[in-house]
Amino acid sequence: MANNKVELNELFAVHPVTELPPDVLGELQSILRLHSITPQELLYKWESYSMKMGMDQGSLDLGTARALKKDLQEMLERDSRGKAHMRSADKKGAYATPRAGKDGDVFGMLNGFVPNTPSQRPPTGASKRKAVFETPARPKAARANGMSSPSDARGLTGEEASGIHSVAFADRADPGQIVQTLNQHLEPFEPPMAPPAEPRIKLTAATDLKKFGYKPMAMHLSEASEVLDDRIDEFQNMIQEHHHLEDSAFGNASSQSTEETIAVGRIASDTLEGRLNAASLLLETSRRTGAGLRVPLKVDAISHGFFPGQIVAFKGINASGEYFAVSEVLDIPLLPPTVSLPSVLDTHNERLGVEEEGDASNPSCAMNVLLAAGPFTADDNLAFEPLHTLCEKAAESYADMLILVGPVLDAEHPLLASGDFDLPDDGSIEPDKATLTDVFRILVGTPLRTLAQKVPSISITLIPSSRDIVNKHVSWPQENFTGRKELGLPKQAKMVTNPVNIALNEIVVGISAHDVLYDLRREELVVGRPKEDSIMARMPAHLIQQRHFYPLYPPVDRNLLPMTGTTGGIATGMPLDIGYMKLGEWFTSRPDMLITPSALAPFVKVVNGVIVINPGPLSKRRGAGTYSQFSIYPKKVTEQERDVERSRGARVGHDVFNRSRIDIVKI
């Protein structure tokens, strides 16, 4: 029980609180005893319950703990009743022999469609019923909540479509409250008296955007297999160079041998259904090292985290020829951090207003960036109130940059899916002839144009999502939005790809709109006790180690989340175009910042020298969400570093994680 207490405090206590109240802790321990689950499993259930109810995961108190306990108990009772009903049905019909009635139709399937076969007649005395060829009405349950399937939400509006009563945006709780902060000792950015005359940020793309304009849904199996195969061979070369190994040290894991060897391959499962487990682990080799064969793995002797598609290097032995017994996991080298010449840093510092050495610590010289991820409006309206409020905050603080990560116009929004909504009359279009591009221009473009007029020096960056209706590129990696004029975007708006690496002055920022953290958490298998216990640190560490924005393979079929307005069913999932997976790779260095919006709790954390940020959605299903604000101070360059550049051309690390204050804020 003492161990449970420590672990529960680590998992559920929200900073700055380090210990849960005794009554809340008692309820959680009661749930653990009743359901025979671990604290980690309880955390998953709490996260799922929070998303279902549209609550913040940091709002755990006695009332919500008891509500969670009641919800889990009701779920268990429903499952028990369902299983009992299935068992009774099996007992009644397991040994029954179908018998033909008077009309000779054994199963009642012919129903008068075959000549000379009597139709099923109504009972004696009953009048004949004429066939009615009308669209059947929805069942009462479907009409009640409008959420039995994605199609049931069509034609519904407002609270009928969302199935729940939303909290009005104006009545949201604690607007402006800071949920979490990185480097709290640094002062937040101080807005100037007037907006800057010139942009303080030089925005450049560190990704070749033109390569994303490929033709989607035209993948060839031969090309896909080569991409997957080459990735294994590339990692083997990196591991060999990093660990200074000879060619003879590597071998085929599927070949029987009594000698210890090193095998590099991809983690796979022996079944297409269900989650990865220790009994289903396979190592897929490349054609060069193992003829592409798969071999079962025995991992009892190690502690590690695995997921499908992960590239790994094992040291072990295959003595029986039936499985590869792993004795050690070799580290995969990390990419080097980003660096710049001191003279380049001086140029960027001048752009931020640094004139003397002491100015670098002045809050007014810090870079002011706002980040938000979609959805940008609640499920029961298309008012986009959170987006308007965010633009107002950006205008008030004279933000240097606003980053918006899709979905912007969400294909899973109930009103957009049904098409039953009214547009504000701007006099430019006829309501009956409006397109989704017009919807974007009026609802999204309007607040962005207003912001650009108030702060002409601002840079606005838009990253699409595979759920964006106005983006015709349906696969990932994904092309950027097209048609600035048609979408009503100001000239300050830059439309980039998904994923993308962009440079804000010298700072490299990696951004991907897909929820890879949620997919990794669902698919990860933890064997033993890994080095990092925190999920929020372990999931980004996988991305950094694998050097990729989406290292999972095969991609995950995503269940519809409660925030999307429907329950159950399978959504579009991750539409991965395997032939272009290399567009999601990191090639030369780790980014200074990694932005990965997720349905998991918002967080900011430093992992392997990279600031990882999940800002959370700007708008939740039932109400307001969160965004992130960056105050990034200039990099101090010493005279010694300048002298080294003059003599040897040496570069300087950015150390962004030491000079950045990152706040997660309620909108």
Side-chain angles (χ1 to χ4, degrees):
M1 190 65 67
N3 293 337
N4 280 346
K5 180 179 179 181
V6 173
E7 193 168 358
L8 287 171
N9 283 324
E10 290 178 353
L11 294 174
F12 289 90
V14 179
H15 181 79
V17 178
T18 58
E19 291 189 1
L20 296 171
D23 51 357
V24 176
L25 188 63
E27 287 294 334
L28 297 182
Q29 290 174 332
S30 174
I31 296 174
L32 296 181
R33 290 193 301 269
L34 287 173
H35 297 275
S36 299
I37 57 177
T38 64
Q40 189 65 62
E41 291 174 313
L42 179 58
L43 176 63
Y44 293 157
K45 295 181 182 297
W46 164 241
E47 290 175 346
S48 176
Y49 178 75
S50 300
M51 287 188 291
K52 181 174 70 173
M53 301 305 295
M55 302 186 306
D56 289 328
Q57 294 180 16
S59 60
L60 180 62
D61 52 23
L62 182 59
T64 53
R66 288 175 175 171
L68 172 64
K69 183 178 181 180
K70 181 180 179 181
D71 184 74
L72 294 177
Q73 187 65 29
E74 291 175 350
M75 190 182 304
L76 182 63
E77 292 174 358
R78 286 196 299 269
D79 292 342
S80 300
R81 288 195 298 267
K83 291 177 182 178
H85 178 72
M86 291 176 63
R87 286 195 298 268
S88 62
D90 290 341
K91 289 180 181 179
K92 292 179 180 179
Y95 304 103
T97 302
R99 299 184 182 277
K102 294 180 180 180
D103 56 5
D105 188 359
V106 177
F107 294 102
M109 297 189 303
L110 301 180
N111 200 26
F113 289 109
V114 180
N116 302 324
T117 303
S119 62
Q120 291 181 340
R121 298 183 178 88
T124 304
S127 61
K128 292 185 178 180
R129 184 180 59 185
K130 295 182 180 180
V132 180
F133 297 96
E134 296 178 354
T135 303
R138 285 195 303 272
K140 291 182 179 180
R143 291 197 299 269
N145 55 34
M147 291 161 46
S148 61
S149 69
S151 60
D152 287 343
R154 299 174 186 269
L156 304 179
T157 59
E159 294 178 355
E160 185 184 4
S162 64
I164 54 175
H165 295 281
S166 298
V167 178
F169 184 77
D171 298 332
R172 65 193 185 280
D174 304 320
Q177 179 186 5
I178 297 177
V179 178
Q180 188 178 355
T181 301
L182 175 69
N183 291 331
Q184 194 170 4
H185 63 281
L186 296 176
E187 293 293 328
F189 170 78
E190 290 184 2
M193 297 297 295
E198 298 292 334
R200 300 170 72 235
I201 291 181
K202 181 181 179 182
L203 178 64
T204 56
T207 298
D208 190 350
L209 305 184
K210 294 181 180 179
K211 291 184 178 180
F212 287 76
Y214 64 90
K215 184 179 180 181
M217 302 177 68
M219 183 171 57
H220 300 284
L221 289 178
S222 58
E223 296 177 359
S225 64
E226 289 177 2
V227 170
L228 295 172
D229 205 60
D230 291 345
R231 183 166 166 81
I232 298 177
D233 292 336
E234 290 170 3
F235 269 75
Q236 179 166 324
N237 294 334
M238 287 188 295
I239 291 166
Q240 182 176 359
E241 181 181 351
H242 178 71
H243 292 279
H244 308 290
L245 300 171
E246 300 292 335
D247 291 341
S248 58
F250 296 89
N252 183 2
S254 61
S255 298
Q256 182 178 1
S257 174
T258 57
E259 295 184 0
E260 191 173 57
T261 187
I262 296 175
V264 180
R266 177 182 292 104
I267 292 296
S269 176
D270 63 358
T271 177
L272 296 176
E273 299 178 356
R275 290 186 57 181
L276 197 68
N277 58 71
S280 65
L281 270 178
L282 298 177
L283 182 70
E284 178 184 331
T285 61
S286 69
R287 284 175 288 190
R288 182 170 68 88
T289 59
L293 296 175
R294 291 182 171 186
V295 57
L297 293 173
K298 184 177 181 181
V299 292
D300 299 341
I302 61 171
S303 295
H304 201 69
F306 300 104
F307 59 87
Q310 180 184 22
I311 307 298
V312 292
F314 290 141
K315 181 182 290 186
I317 188 172
N318 187 351
S320 64
E322 297 180 355
Y323 59 85
F324 188 78
V326 181
S327 58
E328 182 184 351
V329 181
L330 274 65
D331 292 332
I332 295 177
L334 300 179
L335 284 169
T338 52
V339 292
S340 297
L341 292 171
S343 57
V344 174
L345 295 175
D346 286 336
T347 302
H348 293 316
N349 289 348
E350 290 178 7
R351 186 177 290 108
L352 292 173
V354 177
E355 298 178 357
E356 300 177 358
E357 186 67 25
D359 290 344
S361 58
N362 189 339
S364 63
C365 292
M367 190 186 303
N368 183 23
V369 180
L370 298 184
L371 162 68
F376 294 97
T377 187
D379 271 9
D380 63 344
N381 67 78
L382 289 174
F384 283 86
E385 294 172 294
L387 179 61
H388 283 268
T389 302
L390 181 69
C391 290
E392 291 172 3
K393 291 185 177 297
E396 292 171 1
S397 62
Y398 299 128
D400 298 309
M401 189 169 190
L402 174 64
I403 302 175
L404 301 178
V405 185
V408 183
L409 282 188
D410 192 357
E412 295 178 4
H413 192 286
L415 298 181
L416 292 174
S418 67
D420 188 8
F421 58 90
D422 295 325
L423 278 176
D425 186 11
D426 67 345
S428 62
I429 56 170
E430 297 181 22
D432 295 339
K433 297 181 180 180
T435 65
L436 289 170
T437 303
D438 296 323
V439 175
F440 189 102
R441 175 174 55 82
I442 295 173
L443 299 183
V444 179
T446 300
L448 296 183
R449 292 193 302 271
T450 303
L451 171 61
Q453 292 172 357
K454 293 179 179 179
V455 189
S457 61
I458 195 172
S459 295
I460 303 172
T461 302
L462 285 87
I463 298 93
S465 164
S466 57
R467 286 163 48 186
D468 268 303
I469 296 180
V470 296
N471 193 300
K472 298 179 181 179
H473 203 110
V474 297
S475 59
W476 190 98
Q478 185 181 15
E479 192 178 16
N480 52 287
F481 290 116
T482 56
R484 182 198 309 274
K485 183 177 180 181
E486 291 78 4
L487 296 176
L489 296 174
K491 64 179 182 179
Q492 292 91 334
K494 310 297 182 189
M495 298 176 288
V496 296
T497 58
N498 172 31
V500 69
N501 282 305
I502 58 176
L504 317 183
N505 291 344
E506 79 279 4
I507 301 167
V508 178
V509 182
I511 310 173
S512 179
H514 186 76
D515 192 350
V516 62
L517 299 183
Y518 186 84
D519 289 352
L520 279 171
R521 200 203 72 173
R522 283 183 55 199
E523 298 297 320
E524 187 193 32
L525 165 67
V526 177
V527 177
R529 189 169 185 85
K531 298 178 182 178
E532 181 59 64
D533 292 334
S534 171
I535 295 175
M536 301 307 181
R538 197 167 64 244
M539 299 301 104
H542 286 315
L543 302 180
I544 297 170
Q545 183 193 60
Q546 296 292 300
R547 310 177 175 202
H548 204 283
F549 284 106
Y550 195 85
L552 284 98
Y553 179 79
V556 176
D557 284 333
R558 179 176 52 84
N559 289 321
L560 285 173
L561 299 178
M563 68 174 60
T564 62
T566 58
T567 58
I570 299 296
T572 55
M574 178 57 172
L576 176 64
D577 197 309
I578 303 171
Y580 293 89
M581 275 184 64
K582 291 187 73 68
L583 295 177
E585 287 188 359
W586 307 346
F587 293 103
T588 57
S589 63
R590 283 172 281 165
D592 295 307
M593 306 175 75
L594 178 61
I595 297 173
T596 57
S598 175
L600 302 179
F603 70 90
V604 54
K605 188 176 288 289
V606 178
V607 182
N608 293 329
V610 179
I611 301 177
V612 184
I613 306 160
N614 168 24
L618 188 67
S619 177
K620 297 181 180 180
R621 181 186 176 192
R622 297 179 59 185
T626 55
Y627 68 97
S628 184
Q629 183 167 11
F630 310 164
S631 299
I632 307 175
Y633 283 74
K635 168 68 177 177
K636 295 180 180 179
V637 183
T638 63
E639 288 298 329
Q640 182 180 1
E641 290 172 335
R642 295 188 181 93
D643 294 338
V644 174
E645 179 194 3
R646 298 187 192 102
S647 59
R648 301 199 303 268
R651 298 172 181 265
V652 179
H654 295 166
D655 298 330
V656 179
F657 57 88
N658 283 327
R659 55 187 178 98
S660 301
R661 177 189 171 110
I662 313 293
D663 294 318
I664 305 294
V665 188
K666 290 185 177 181
I667 186 64

